[in-house]
Amino acid sequence: MDYLDTLRCFVAVADAGGFAVAGRRLGCSATAVTRAIAALEARLGVLLFQRSTRMVRLTEAGERFLHDCRPLLNDLLEAEQAASGAQAEAQGLLSITAPQMFGIQHVAPIVQGFLQAQPRVQVRTLFVNRLVHLLEEGMDVAIRIAHLPDSGLTAVQVGALRRLVVASPAYLAQHGKPRHPADLSSHRAIGFAFDARTPAPWKFRDGATGQPQFTWISNSNEVDIAAAEAGIGLTRCLAYQAAASLRAGRLRIVLADHELPPVPVHIVYPAGRRAPAKVRAFVEWARERLTKEPVLNGRGLGRGNALLPMTS
């Protein structure tokens, strides 16, 4: 391998977490990959990977080298694509990331249709509940549910999501319906936290707060919704997470008059007009479909869950 191919090999191993998988993706043997990484480590004079019988993991030096190396390879790929006409025709591997539950419910169906319309494109999706750094992690497009900070990325807003408090009809019949955030102190609740330790405080419009009794804390929105359906307590969620349960009558919205303004949903991608055709094609395909999604416009939550003004 020449040095450029060796760098591509290094990134492939880092992404795959193993030599054999990287070799299959690159179309070469695991032995060739192992030799290439060993030669790169000898050239740099550092160990890039920790090896064991069960895993291959980047060292601290490897993490730094990957951080510096990946943007260079991405820039080179863009230059190659521009020269070969990829700027004009959608083709090649497209990497998309989104929050896990939103990705499964709303992005995956869009990808299915996009692949049927664009036979020369292949797609990789990463649905995770963490902030994915597009350039550092080799992603082309992200769906972000948040107020976005200023950055060099291009963002297209496709809607906004209500921030709800919900409970099952059985729970409300037994414990009563809270009318004000202050009433939450006498209610049981299922809380969400990424570390399943300390749930975020429940904030409401005009600075009001409420502190329910958390009888269950999880790091899964699906678990929280299921627990609320079972009558364990109230839970807080974004509208899309509870939409099916609300439409089916398994959950009811409470404290609607105190909701915070909806949180915006954006399609985010680097390069703007210089983005490859595959990126521009997918952004337009997804934008057209997501902007028509009822839940992103405060609707589609069933009878008795009326639309609130979509202010932000």
Side-chain angles (χ1 to χ4, degrees), residues 5-19:
D5 286 335
T6 300
L7 294 180
R8 289 177 174 139
C9 186
F10 163 69
V11 173
V13 173
D15 289 342
F19 296 106

Side-chain angles (χ1 to χ4, degrees), residues 28-187:
C28 60
S29 68
T31 300
V33 172
T34 302
R35 289 174 179 168
I37 297 303
L40 181 60
E41 290 175 328
R43 176 187 177 118
L44 298 175
V46 295
L47 192 66
L48 298 173
F49 293 100
Q50 295 284 357
R51 288 100 156 156
S52 72
T53 56
R54 292 187 297 177
M55 68 175 62
V56 175
R57 185 171 58 187
L58 284 165
T59 62
E60 184 176 350
E63 292 277 6
R64 290 196 302 270
F65 190 61
L66 180 65
H67 178 272
D68 294 335
C69 184
R70 194 191 294 277
L72 297 175
L73 290 177
N74 288 339
D75 287 345
L76 178 60
L77 179 60
E78 285 187 13
E80 291 174 342
Q81 290 173 336
S84 65
Q87 292 293 111
E89 182 180 2
Q91 58 181 300
L93 178 64
L94 177 68
S95 298
I96 305 164
T97 184
Q100 186 176 49
M101 192 172 178
F102 190 88
I104 293 170
Q105 290 185 5
H106 295 285
V107 179
I110 289 174
V111 170
Q112 292 173 10
F114 181 72
L115 285 173
Q116 292 175 335
Q118 299 288 351
R120 300 193 65 185
V121 175
Q122 303 84 46
V123 170
R124 175 172 69 105
T125 56
L126 178 64
F127 298 153
V128 290
N129 294 326
R130 64 174 176 83
L131 180 64
V132 175
H133 297 278
L134 270 66
L135 295 179
E136 294 180 12
E137 301 187 48
M139 307 305 296
D140 298 302
V141 181
I143 309 298
R144 296 270 165 85
I145 305 174
H147 293 280
L148 299 180
D150 292 335
S151 71
L153 301 176
T154 301
V156 178
Q157 184 168 349
V158 292
L161 289 164
R162 289 173 61 183
R163 294 183 262 195
L164 310 176
V165 177
V166 297
S168 71
Y171 175 88
L172 296 175
Q174 182 178 355
H175 299 279
K177 183 178 180 180
R179 304 290 179 180
H180 188 275
D183 299 337
L184 291 174
S185 60
S186 62
H187 282 271

Side-chain angles (χ1 to χ4, degrees), residues 212-226:
Q213 304 165 31
F214 291 111
T215 57
W216 192 342
I217 300 171
S218 88
N219 68 337
S220 166
N221 299 118
E222 293 94 330
V223 167
D224 293 355
I225 295 297

